[in-house]
């Protein structure tokens, strides 16, 4: 069969290894596996969400409310915007898909950071567009601006705080960058880790309401997969000006978010205490990893997220050796070799999980 030529250039996305794989391949019992590979919330989701789901199981046979009004109103309230500015997605991934399909034609370009979330490029590739990556590890907006002028991309993706490095932009720097971008260029600000970032440093906080009122070409995205512990429910959202959101609605399949996911997300927004407790624990535990890296003389990136990326150039093992050794013991981390880095990304776990991981790292590195 002749597939679209665009597919030849698209790599298949490699997700973090699932617990099931370790159970299957190494015979480790599932409750012993420590999975710190996909930046999930180690505490799971709020108990309020679990209860709400249990009570709503009877709704499974029914199609969801396709207006997604409850969820959109809750998100609009949380972010200080209008429900007309919000679109729900099957993960924020689906919002990136809407963004790329709404403006890209074959031969167009997108601009992104050197090290960033790999799905932007995959969605752009599906539209036949080319990815230009800025030649830097940390976001460098001067280089972004140079490349923007040279390449005239249709979309610029900014991930702040950024996965897989963990760095974050100051809001002021981001805003002065955005002022220099034509309103004809879409800018996607992927804020999947924003809550973690602003907890560590309020200067990193970018608010959706301010962003979209100042810049009609900017789309803000966020997800329930990380801080709210709902990765398995596949739910995220985009916030943008009405015209943009209306265009996305034309690309949407009906019922694009499941009945129970919609409910889970709506209830999750109500449990602020659960989120605040997690944020506090995360930052405290993150600092333990940073301290560990410093005492070991390993370079790491100061992180504004729920993970830490440690470079292993000065270590006894390469990232692949470390990753494989720990995998066999039932500890799943993320090897960043496919990003061209000899580095390991570790999601910050619960204190007792981190005790085990830090102890193993201490002995192996
Ligand atoms: C995890 C993550 C997302 C969220 O993906 P979902 O599709 O919402 O699960 C988006 N962007 C970045 C940078 C991420 O790390």
């Amino acid at each position: 069969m002749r597939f679209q030529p665009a597919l030849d250039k698209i790599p298949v996305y490699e997700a973090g290894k699932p617990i099931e794989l370790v159970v299957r391949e190494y015979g480790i019992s599932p409750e012993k596996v420590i999975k710190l590979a996909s930046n999930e919330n180690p505490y799971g989701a709020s108990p309020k969400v679990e209860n709400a789901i249990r009570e709503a199981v009877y709704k499974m046979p029914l199609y969801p409310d396709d207006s997604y009004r409850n969820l959109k109103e809750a998100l609009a309230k949380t972010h200080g915007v209008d429900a007309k500015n919000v679109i729900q997605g099957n993960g924020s991934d689906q919002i990136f898909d809407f963004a790329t399909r709404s403006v890209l034609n074959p031969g167009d370009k997108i601009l992104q950071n050197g090290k960033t979330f790999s799905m932007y490029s995959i969605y752009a590739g599906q539209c036949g567009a080319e990815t230009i990556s800025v030649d830097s590890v940390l976001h460098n907006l001067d280089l972004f601006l140079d490349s923007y002028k040279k390449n005239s991309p249709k979309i610029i993706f900014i991930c702040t705080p950024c996965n897989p490095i963990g760095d974050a932009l100051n809001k002021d720097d981001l805003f002065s960058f955005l002022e220099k971008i034509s309103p004809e260029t879409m800018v996607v600000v992927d804020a999947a880790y924003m809550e973690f970032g602003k907890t560590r440093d309020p200067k990193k906080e970018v608010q959706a309401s301010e962003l979209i009122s100042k810049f009609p070409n900017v789309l803000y995205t966020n997800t329930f997969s990380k801080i709210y512990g709902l990765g398995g429910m596949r739910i995220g959202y985009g916030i943008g000006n009405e015209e943009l959101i209306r265009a996305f609605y034309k690309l949407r399949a009906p019922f694009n978010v499941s009945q129970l996911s919609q409910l889970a997300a709506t209830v999750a927004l109500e449990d602020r205490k659960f989120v605040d407790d997690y944020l506090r624990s995360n930052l405290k535990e993150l600092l333990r990893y940073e301290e560990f890296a410093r005492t070991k003389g390993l370079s790491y990136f100061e992180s504004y997220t729920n993970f830490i990326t440690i470079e292993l150039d000065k270590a006894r093992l390469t990232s692949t050796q470390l990753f494989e050794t720990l995998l066999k013991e039932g500890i799943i981390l993320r090897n960043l070799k496919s990003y061209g880095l000899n580095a390991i990304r570790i999601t910050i776990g619960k204190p007792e999980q981190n005790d085990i991981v830090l102890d193993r790292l201490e002995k192996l590195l």
Side-chain angles (χ1 to χ4, degrees):
M1 199 181 297
R2 253 313 280 116
F3 295 109
Q4 284 190 47
L7 298 195
D8 294 340
K9 294 187 204 140
I10 301 175
V12 175
Y13 179 75
E14 234 186 278
K17 300 255 184 279
I19 291 175
E20 291 80 353
L21 175 131
V22 181
V23 173
R24 254 189 334 260
E25 294 202 354
Y26 305 110
I28 297 169
S29 62
E31 62 286 358
K32 290 246 170 73
V33 175
I34 297 180
K35 184 185 183 220
L36 298 176
S38 300
N39 308 334
E40 293 145 331
N41 185 331
Y43 297 96
S46 156
K48 295 201 166 101
V49 172
E50 291 181 17
N51 288 337
I53 295 286
R54 231 174 261 121
E55 281 168 22
V57 165
Y58 75 94
K59 288 188 179 170
M60 256 195 301
L62 307 174
Y63 279 113
D65 165 9
D66 196 45
S67 76
Y68 294 95
R69 213 175 89 181
N70 291 346
L71 173 65
K72 285 200 294 189
E73 283 179 355
L75 282 169
K77 193 161 147 248
T78 302
H79 287 282
V81 297
D82 198 280
K84 290 196 292 282
N85 299 117
V86 182
I87 186 166
Q88 71 292 341
N90 201 285
S92 50
D93 257 279
Q94 191 172 48
I95 310 295
F96 308 140
D97 184 36
F98 295 155
T100 49
R101 282 195 291 139
S102 69
V103 294
L104 295 177
N105 290 301
D108 284 343
K109 292 173 185 162
I110 68 152
L111 179 61
Q112 65 171 25
N113 197 46
K115 309 292 174 197
T116 196
F117 194 50
S118 46
M119 288 311 301
Y120 312 144
S121 178
I122 292 178
Y123 293 123
Q126 289 170 359
C127 301
E130 185 193 344
T131 298
I132 310 288
S133 295
V134 174
D135 187 18
S136 66
V137 173
L138 302 174
H139 273 68
N140 177 328
L141 291 176
D142 293 333
L143 295 181
F144 262 83
L145 203 57
D146 289 347
S147 184
Y148 162 73
K149 287 178 187 155
K150 207 166 87 200
N151 293 297
S152 308
K154 286 273 179 66
I155 308 182
I156 302 173
F157 282 94
I158 304 269
C159 185
T160 183
C162 179
N163 178 12
I165 301 300
D167 62 314
L169 293 165
N170 287 334
K171 183 199 111 175
D172 292 347
D173 296 336
L174 175 63
F175 275 45
S176 48
F177 171 77
L178 293 173
E179 273 155 20
K180 297 175 193 123
I181 304 301
S182 152
E184 293 302 310
T185 306
M186 186 192 293
V187 182
V188 178
V189 174
D190 179 353
Y193 300 92
M194 188 56 75
E195 293 253 12
F196 301 104
K198 75 178 197 205
T199 303
R200 180 159 194 173
D201 180 355
K203 288 196 295 298
K204 310 295 183 190
E205 181 177 12
V206 176
Q207 284 181 355
S209 53
E210 190 181 4
L211 198 60
I212 69 162
S213 65
K214 286 209 168 116
F215 306 105
N217 56 324
V218 175
L219 171 73
Y220 171 101
T221 65
N222 209 330
T223 178
F224 286 89
S225 300
K226 309 286 155 61
I227 193 154
Y228 292 104
L230 294 175
M233 300 298 272
R234 309 306 306 124
I235 179 155
Y237 57 98
I239 299 180
N241 106 350
E242 213 181 319
E243 188 191 12
L244 206 95
I245 299 298
R246 246 197 328 262
F248 290 3
Y249 263 94
K250 299 183 183 172
L251 298 167
R252 184 188 72 104
F255 314 113
N256 65 315
V257 168
S258 85
Q259 177 84 278
L260 295 183
S261 302
Q262 169 181 215
L263 174 69
T266 311
V267 175
L269 287 173
E270 292 162 10
D271 194 350
R272 193 61 224 178
K273 180 171 184 309
F274 175 80
V275 166
D276 287 339
D277 288 347
Y278 171 39
L279 286 169
R280 212 169 306 117
S281 155
N282 179 72
L283 184 54
K284 186 161 165 238
E285 294 294 306
L286 168 67
L287 297 177
R288 284 177 70 199
Y289 280 95
E290 292 191 351
E291 172 67 23
F292 164 81
R294 276 195 301 272
T295 39
K296 278 277 173 192
L298 300 170
S299 334
Y300 64 92
F301 298 100
E302 190 166 277
S303 171
Y304 293 85
T305 65
N306 63 344
F307 60 81
I308 182 162
T309 291
I310 300 178
E311 290 188 295
L312 298 178
D313 290 338
K314 291 176 213 144
R316 262 186 276 162
L317 300 180
T318 64
S319 66
T320 303
Q321 289 167 330
L322 177 67
F323 169 76
E324 285 174 358
T325 306
L326 289 176
L327 191 65
K328 288 181 195 136
E329 300 175 13
I331 298 174
I332 318 175
L333 306 181
R334 189 70 182 259
N335 180 7
L336 295 185
K337 181 153 192 286
S338 63
Y339 288 85
L341 294 169
N342 179 20
I344 201 96
R345 192 190 71 193
I346 307 168
T347 302
I348 310 302
K350 292 185 197 177
E352 59 273 25
Q353 295 176 313
N354 301 326
D355 290 344
I356 295 171
V357 173
L358 283 165
D359 182 61
R360 290 304 292 136
L361 293 177
E362 174 66 45
K363 295 196 170 101
L364 288 166
L365 294 177

